[in-house]
Amino acid sequence: MAENDISIIHPRPSSIVAALYTLRDLNVDVAILHGPPGCSFKHARLLEEDGIHVVTTALDENGFIFGGREELSTMLVKVNEMFNPKLIGVVGTCVSMIIGEELSEPVKDANLDVPVIGVEVHAGFPNNTKGVLIALESACEAGVITDEELERQKVLLTEATNVEKRHGAASKEYLVPSRGDLKYKVAEKVINYLKEGKKCLTIMNAKKETGYMFADITVAINEVAAQLGVADNVINMANVDDTLGLPRVRQHATYIMNDFREKGIVIHEIIGGMDEYPIAGELVSKLIAEKYSDFDFAVITGVPHAIPMDNLQNMDVISVTNGPRQVFPLKDMGHSNVIVEIDLHPKTLGVNNIVESEFGATIREVVKDMQNAEEA
């Protein structure tokens, strides 16, 4: 292979894992991985924290060659008896797909009265969104989602891939991981801006369940602004439309909005559903141009690289991501500070309320320290 032909040299998200998360968003009760016992182990464990049972047919060396039709059929019967599910998913792996296993055959052998979504996917696709697409197409064939929702999701998946290629994890051949800027330094900056009476935009453009933690940063900034008597200087945008998306995705938006209301946080602009992070940037840009062009700084959380910089040029842009490889692309876009919330994903699975973030906690502590120092 010629050097110029190499486009990916660090590991990328897996299509198999993407398919598993999509089945979760469809409210599948049990997902069966048809392959070796260690395939996608870490994510399988994480998803069990989110209320979905993930099991494996545990193919061995014999299965690698001769297939596992009987193992999968037997597993389908077993999980049906064990969990009494309303919806089952079966996900292929590199092993079962490369030998040409047809998932429909063991499903037919099992003869269950429960709908089964078969996802014939492997990890060899360059974009993990391929796993989402195959899962959704299979769900549509099984009658679990409509043709209209499938077409909507295809648009979102295409743009999600484009966002990653423009400014995300697929934008360069190699991206150095980084922890970003020091949180307490950036917290001081945000607080001082508020004390100076500068106007702030918080823009939460979060991907599904990650919103439980990114929402805390919106809450923390509003809490501090209220303490300083400048609450009216903060305008909040968030992609929390609970009428859009797959069942689990709509539920996340409902829970987060309920928490915002309980904490007295007003979301002035709803910029889309929690699966619309790839396309929300267009609306954000339009809103800024029409209503908020005189604001001084913006704090963007979730997927900041999906927000165009066109109408943010006159603001100081601070962003919070959960991807260490996203730090340098965001700096290249012109963000003055980039913060990484490490281990965000494990902390936001299986929760129904906003989770405290490191940056939110830092803002709360720094403002206390500053007030104590002023009073001393």
Side-chain angles (χ1 to χ4, degrees):
M1 180 183 291
E3 185 179 342
N4 291 339
D5 293 337
I6 300 173
S7 59
I8 300 172
I9 62 172
H10 47 63
R12 297 272 295 121
S14 161
S15 298
I16 297 169
V17 172
L20 280 172
Y21 277 88
T22 304
L23 292 176
R24 182 277 315 264
D25 291 340
L26 290 162
N27 278 346
V28 160
D29 301 294
V30 185
I32 302 173
L33 275 165
H34 186 39
C39 183
S40 304
F41 162 76
K42 181 179 177 182
H43 287 279
R45 283 284 178 89
L46 282 174
L47 281 168
E48 292 227 305
E49 297 294 319
D50 212 16
I52 176 174
H53 302 288
V54 183
V55 299
T56 175
T57 51
L59 294 183
D60 58 14
E61 291 167 319
N62 189 59
F64 291 3
I65 298 169
F66 299 108
R69 177 172 177 167
E70 186 176 344
E71 286 85 348
L72 179 52
S73 176
T74 302
M75 183 62 72
L76 280 160
V77 173
K78 187 177 182 67
V79 299
N80 191 43
E81 293 174 352
M82 185 177 291
F83 301 115
N84 191 27
K86 295 177 181 174
L87 185 60
I88 299 173
V90 177
V91 181
T93 63
C94 298
V95 166
S96 54
M97 294 297 99
I98 205 167
I99 60 173
E101 286 264 64
E102 297 282 348
L103 299 183
S104 59
E105 292 173 349
V107 171
K108 195 181 298 179
D109 295 344
N111 192 30
L112 305 181
D113 57 0
V114 177
V116 178
I117 302 172
V119 189
E120 297 192 349
V121 64
H122 54 73
F125 298 106
N127 300 315
N128 70 323
T129 49
K130 185 69 175 176
V132 180
L133 179 61
I134 296 172
L136 291 170
E137 288 174 339
S138 301
C140 190
E141 288 173 12
V144 175
I145 64 170
T146 63
D147 291 335
E148 183 182 16
E149 181 62 26
L150 176 61
E151 292 307 310
R152 176 179 171 275
Q153 293 288 336
K154 283 181 179 178
V155 171
L156 296 177
L157 291 169
T158 299
E159 190 51 31
T161 300
N162 291 339
V163 164
E164 292 308 310
K165 287 180 178 175
R166 280 198 299 268
H167 300 294
S171 60
K172 293 182 180 177
E173 182 180 271
Y174 182 75
L175 286 163
V176 179
S178 167
R179 296 297 179 97
D181 295 305
L182 292 174
K183 291 182 176 67
Y184 82 92
K185 287 284 188 187
V186 184
E188 281 183 343
K189 182 179 183 179
V190 169
I191 295 164
N192 282 327
Y193 276 169
L194 292 172
K195 290 173 76 172
E196 292 165 11
K198 292 188 174 179
K199 293 197 283 188
C200 171
L201 284 178
T202 74
I203 305 170
M204 187 185 97
N205 187 38
K207 183 178 180 180
K208 305 178 185 179
E209 66 273 10
T210 64
Y212 288 112
M213 188 173 284
F214 289 122
D216 180 61
I217 295 163
T218 298
V219 174
I221 291 172
N222 279 267
E223 287 175 353
V224 170
Q227 289 175 36
L228 297 173
V230 293
D232 292 343
N233 284 0
V234 180
I235 290 292
N236 305 304
M237 302 185 185
N239 60 327
V240 285
D241 188 333
D242 62 2
T243 67
L244 297 170
L246 301 181
R248 186 69 66 97
V249 174
R250 297 197 301 270
Q251 197 174 48
H252 296 322
T254 298
Y255 290 153
I256 290 172
M257 270 306 293
N258 287 343
D259 274 7
F260 277 144
R261 290 190 190 100
E262 281 188 16
K263 294 174 186 295
I265 308 300
V266 176
I267 301 301
H268 304 86
E269 308 285 358
I270 292 181
I271 57 174
M274 299 205 72
D275 57 0
E276 291 194 321
Y277 62 92
I279 62 170
E282 187 177 339
L283 176 57
V284 170
S285 199
K286 183 169 178 281
L287 287 166
I288 292 173
E290 291 177 353
K291 300 166 71 174
Y292 308 113
S293 60
D294 61 336
F295 274 56
D296 300 294
F297 70 108
V299 179
I300 310 176
T301 61
V303 188
H305 51 293
I307 307 296
M309 290 294 289
D310 304 11
N311 294 317
L312 289 164
Q313 296 294 338
N314 296 325
M315 298 183 204
D316 188 359
V317 180
I318 298 164
S319 56
V320 187
T321 175
N322 63 324
R325 294 189 192 278
Q326 197 56 59
V327 172
F328 290 108
L330 286 166
K331 294 271 188 179
D332 289 343
M333 287 177 71
H335 294 217
S336 64
N337 296 103
V338 181
I339 295 168
V340 180
E341 287 285 345
I342 297 295
D343 295 330
L344 177 148
H345 213 217
K347 296 173 184 172
T348 55
L349 288 173
V351 303
N352 297 323
N353 294 101
I354 292 175
V355 175
E356 186 174 65
S357 63
E358 287 188 6
F359 188 48
T362 305
I363 289 173
R364 295 180 179 101
E365 288 303 311
V366 170
V367 78
K368 282 183 197 171
D369 291 345
M370 292 169 79
Q371 289 171 342
N372 290 337
E374 288 169 2
E375 291 169 4

